[in-house]
Amino acid sequence: MADLRTQALDDFRRRCKDQGLAFTFQRQVIYEAVVDSREHPTPELIYEQVRQRIPSISLGTIYKNVKTFLDSGVLKEVTLHHGSLRLESNMTPHHHVVCASCKAIFDIKETAVESVRLPTSELPAGFAIQQCRVEFVGVCKSCQTARRKKSKAAKECST
Ligand SMILES: [Zn+2]
Ligand SMILES: [Zn+2]
């Protein structure tokens, strides 16, 4: 795990360099917060994490850096339809499993999904596909547990 993290950080440093972005301590801490959360965090969640290491940082600074990261492509946005900005540190092609309840997003490696086929005839006229992303929607373990507790509590209340 530690190795993967070091590797992610090395990659990030390289991408910053390629894009002419200064690799500052602040940016490193922000990036580490994205990698560590492993759940495609929102800028607000990153802020909560980063604040523990850099107490003087503001949410505005997080937004600004996140925007710089996205504009330069050193980080990616997950998808455009989740209603809020979710960040992606995994730059290799992969798919997602999304919890419909808490909106947690987990990575699934690309090779784990067996061929997805879409006949060209089904595409809107002239549409050029750039990549294929599969999203599996379900309910995560902690949400299931929470639901069970809730329904049990509701039963106990009604008796
Ligand atoms: Zn959930
Ligand atoms: Zn992902």
Side-chain angles (χ1 to χ4, degrees), residues 68-108:
T68 307
F69 289 166
L70 291 175
D71 287 348
S72 61
V74 297
L75 274 186
K76 285 194 294 187
E77 193 173 344
V78 176
T79 46
L80 302 171
H81 59 262
H82 284 290
S84 62
L85 173 61
R86 303 289 294 267
L87 297 169
E88 179 72 81
S89 63
N90 183 353
M91 305 303 271
T92 55
H94 61 280
H95 304 298
H96 285 139
V97 169
V98 182
C99 174
S101 178
C102 68
K103 308 282 188 255
I105 304 172
F106 306 93
D107 286 345
I108 299 290

Side-chain angles (χ1 to χ4, degrees), residues 2 5-6 8-10 12-13 23-39 41 46 49-50 53-54 69 75 89:
R5 195 171 186 273
T6 313
L9 204 59
D10 281 350
F12 178 65
R13 196 179 290 130
F23 182 76
T24 61
F25 174 68
Q26 198 181 60
R27 284 181 176 158
Q28 179 183 333
V29 173
I30 293 172
Y31 182 75
E32 281 173 347
V34 179
V35 174
D36 287 347
S37 108
R38 308 182 60 81
E39 278 183 28
I46 295 166
Q49 288 304 310
V50 172
R53 290 175 65 188
I54 312 176
F69 289 166
L75 274 186
S89 63

